[in-house]
Amino acid sequence: MWTTAQIKRHIANLKPGELFTTRNLLLYGTRGAVDQAVYILVEADQIQRLARGVFMKPALTKRVVTAFEIAQVKAAAFGKQLVSHATDAAKKLGLTEKGNEAPTYFVNGSSSSFRFGNMVVCLKRASMRKMILGDDKAGLAIKALWGLGKDALSKTSVMLATNEFGRQDRKKLHYVKDLMPAWLSDFLYIYTCSDDAKNKTGASRGFWANFWAGRPARVTGYARYSADISLM
């Protein structure tokens, strides 16, 4: 009874349409007691079950919940972070025609999957370097090119990935380069110092040459980029 009352109070403090997980409620009782309370609230239509362990306080108006929202709240419940998958980044930037068939995301933890409606959402373990890249323009571009692989990399793919870069994105790329594999960093150096890059990006060869010169130690750039994105 106490557990149910505390969970009701917790839900009352949520905004309409806000998502939460079973793990968010475990401070109110044992797993068995929490599961029983949640079951009663679902049956009474006081909360809505969206996926295993994920629920929503009823919204005032119709609310469409995406697979990304579900994945994000599930990952957060386990102390994980979520970013877009390299395959989907490549599709978004026009480097490939197809993305992942099922909703798929990179996560800084063990790989897992769960069912959401008629879909299976996949969380794929990724290296810390790929997680730090994030989902800004520079991060998406590098993940997409990295995902293509060394053999599929071309000037066209680089042009498409960096086509909408502004000065701030190119500046951020300076730190991202320390997260790349050597083959990708080398290719970008050759491309961005070429006449093609000058014509496509609007930046001079001198700008890119100075940009790549004096590559800092990998750990230094890694830390500086981490600090940058933490302030965004």
Side-chain angles (χ1 to χ4, degrees):
M1 181 70 76
W2 184 88
T3 296
T4 302
Q6 293 300 310
I7 290 177
K8 285 183 177 181
R9 181 176 299 176
H10 178 97
I11 294 169
N13 290 326
L14 299 178
K15 297 177 181 178
E18 187 172 346
L19 308 188
F20 63 96
T21 69
T22 301
R23 292 184 66 86
N24 299 140
L25 308 176
L26 291 180
L27 69 163
Y28 302 125
T30 64
R31 181 58 186 256
V34 169
D35 285 343
Q36 180 64 25
V38 168
Y39 173 80
I40 293 172
L41 294 175
V42 170
E43 289 297 303
D45 292 327
Q46 294 186 37
I47 59 175
Q48 181 181 353
R49 184 182 186 276
L50 302 176
R52 184 176 181 180
V54 181
F55 306 87
M56 180 178 73
K57 180 177 180 177
L60 298 179
T61 58
K62 186 176 181 180
R63 165 155 154 55
V64 178
V65 180
T66 65
F68 178 75
E69 288 180 278
I70 300 293
Q72 195 171 42
V73 73
K74 283 182 74 74
F78 288 91
K80 301 176 183 178
Q81 293 178 317
L82 206 70
V83 296
S84 60
H85 193 273
T87 301
D88 295 319
K91 171 66 168 59
K92 182 176 181 178
L93 295 175
L95 308 188
T96 58
E97 294 183 359
K98 295 183 179 180
N100 288 297
E101 292 185 5
T104 305
Y105 308 97
F106 279 148
V107 66
N108 60 335
S110 57
S111 298
S112 62
S113 63
F114 62 91
R115 184 169 293 280
F116 172 49
N118 60 354
M119 299 182 292
V120 174
V121 182
C122 302
L123 305 182
K124 298 291 187 180
R125 182 183 181 90
S127 67
M128 186 56 67
R129 286 191 295 167
K130 290 181 180 178
M131 294 301 301
I132 289 178
L133 288 174
D135 284 332
D136 56 20
K137 288 183 181 180
L140 282 176
I142 298 308
K143 278 192 295 184
L145 295 171
W146 192 342
L148 285 181
K150 183 176 181 179
D151 294 337
L153 193 61
S154 67
K155 289 183 178 180
T156 300
S157 59
V158 173
M159 181 195 72
L160 289 172
T162 60
N163 190 45
E164 297 185 3
F165 272 27
R167 175 168 289 273
Q168 192 62 32
D169 302 311
R170 294 195 294 269
K171 180 180 179 181
K172 189 164 291 185
L173 194 66
H174 175 75
Y175 303 125
V176 177
K177 69 182 182 181
D178 294 321
L179 304 175
M180 305 178 205
W183 56 265
L184 179 54
S185 178
D186 291 345
F187 190 95
L188 285 175
Y189 172 80
I190 295 171
Y191 172 77
T192 54
C193 290
S194 69
D195 288 330
D196 282 344
K198 177 181 178 181
N199 295 332
K200 298 297 183 182
T201 67
S204 67
R205 292 178 64 185
F207 171 88
W208 283 113
N210 291 330
F211 173 86
W212 287 99
R215 176 175 174 140
R218 179 173 295 275
V219 66
T220 302
Y222 194 94
R224 290 177 68 185
Y225 185 71
S226 298
D228 275 5
I229 63 173
S230 68
L231 298 176
M232 294 177 61

